[in-house]
Amino acid sequence: MVTQIGDKTNAMRQNNLMEAILSELLETRFNKIEHISETGSTNSDLVSKASELPDGSILVSDHQTGGRGRLGRHWEAPPSKNLLFSVLLHPNWPIERHQLVTPALAIATVEVLERLGLRATVKWPNDVMIEGEGEKKIAGILAEYVKQENPVLVVGMGLNIEWPQQEDPAPPNSTSLKACGIEKDRWKMLIEILKNFEQRLIEISSEKGTSTFRQAYTAKSSTIGNQVKVEKSDGDIVGKAIDIEEDGSLIIENENGTTSITAGDVIHLRKL
Ligand code: BTN
């Protein structure tokens, strides 16, 4: 095979970039990053390699042709505009805490967005929102559990960096850093998010850390205190979202009492 000089230069640039990123992440478990220009879905790629890859493996893609969202939805992003990545984790915490990886990544992202001066929140269970005139989604998270001899979790996030902007045809109520007037390199965002994510993963793996984690989760939640409708596979429930439990379940209160919800789509009806 003949290698073109341009290809070699690009490959060197790519290696230098990955080395620079990894040197920033030395104190974390994220010690293996692969960057590709296109794939179907970074989550699917890591799920298919679940038995081979070490804890903390990251896959970043410039473009996904079959990006996946929750509940079988499609996740859209034009090439090289947004941050699309997945992380593979070998969980070292009890199984009932697995669903905390989604809020762990959401809180990690909210903290980075706050440092950029944005009012960011977590909408239960997996959306990162920007508060302004109404709330708009800036990132979504998809966590998947691979049941095997050594089970793994794959958690992927799409964070809107440059797309959509006001004029773009895009999913309703979505926004991006650029639409919020912020120019920020997606690799720098990735590094900062992963550093925070590491701290939150340490919390969920320790007995003492879970209450600190829950405090952070409730503080960053835009769902608590709202009248909500939760769309669940076995029927909808309407009520006030009053709390989040240590395992990440949402507590809804209505005339029938309180209900603990582990999965569903939440619609914020109004702030109470
Ligand atoms: C959602 O809000 O429904 C979750 C969206 C998750 C999208 C990300 S993009 C990177 C990773 N790969 C995927 O196929 N999905 C996640």
Side-chain angles (χ1 to χ4, degrees), residues 40-44 64 66-70 73 75 83-86 126-127 137 139-142 156-158:
S41 148
T42 54
N43 261 46
S44 302
Q64 296 183 127
R68 296 190 291 115
R70 277 178 68 244
R73 293 182 192 127
W75 186 259
L83 177 60
L84 308 167
F85 71 99
S86 299
N126 74 323
D127 292 342
K137 179 164 169 171
I141 298 167
L142 176 68
M157 182 161 83

Side-chain angles (χ1 to χ4, degrees), residues 197-248:
F197 190 35
E198 174 69 20
Q199 294 314 311
R200 297 297 171 189
L201 290 176
I202 292 171
E203 281 173 5
I204 66 177
S205 61
S206 92
E207 238 14 91
K208 282 191 189 143
T210 47
S211 69
T212 318
F213 181 84
R214 179 162 172 244
Q215 272 170 23
Y217 191 6
T218 49
K220 307 287 182 205
S221 167
S222 62
T223 301
I224 294 177
N226 267 283
Q227 180 75 3
V228 298
K229 177 161 102 169
V230 188
E231 296 174 339
K232 298 192 291 117
S233 50
D234 57 351
D236 297 352
I237 170 165
V238 174
K240 183 181 177 186
I242 56 165
D243 205 357
I244 289 172
E245 286 180 304
E246 248 180 35
D247 68 355

Side-chain angles (χ1 to χ4, degrees), residues 137-236:
K137 179 164 169 171
I138 195 163
I141 298 167
L142 176 68
E144 297 178 281
Y145 179 62
V146 185
K147 208 170 161 196
Q148 54 181 27
E149 197 183 334
N150 294 313
V152 306
L153 287 165
V154 172
V155 51
M157 182 161 83
L159 171 61
N160 299 342
I161 305 280
E162 291 185 52
W163 181 93
Q165 296 192 57
Q166 280 84 357
E167 64 278 10
D168 291 329
N173 295 324
S174 55
T175 191
S176 64
L177 280 184
K178 200 161 187 178
C180 296
I182 292 173
E183 302 269 348
K184 176 98 179 172
D185 178 72
R186 59 192 166 127
W187 294 108
K188 290 199 176 127
M189 285 301 285
L190 178 68
I191 292 167
E192 289 180 35
I193 290 168
L194 290 177
K195 283 183 181 169
N196 288 348
F197 190 35
E198 174 69 20
Q199 294 314 311
R200 297 297 171 189
L201 290 176
I202 292 171
E203 281 173 5
I204 66 177
S205 61
S206 92
E207 238 14 91
K208 282 191 189 143
T210 47
S211 69
T212 318
F213 181 84
R214 179 162 172 244
Q215 272 170 23
Y217 191 6
T218 49
K220 307 287 182 205
S221 167
S222 62
T223 301
I224 294 177
N226 267 283
Q227 180 75 3
V228 298
K229 177 161 102 169
V230 188
E231 296 174 339
K232 298 192 291 117
S233 50
D234 57 351
D236 297 352

Side-chain angles (χ1 to χ4, degrees), residues 107-147:
I107 296 165
T109 306
V110 162
E111 288 168 336
V112 177
L113 295 170
E114 285 175 340
R115 289 203 289 265
L116 294 172
L118 295 169
R119 275 176 54 218
T121 54
V122 183
K123 176 169 175 274
W124 193 91
N126 74 323
D127 292 342
V128 178
M129 311 298 289
I130 298 296
E131 309 287 327
E133 288 160 20
E135 37 172 29
K136 290 192 170 174
K137 179 164 169 171
I138 195 163
I141 298 167
L142 176 68
E144 297 178 281
Y145 179 62
V146 185
K147 208 170 161 196

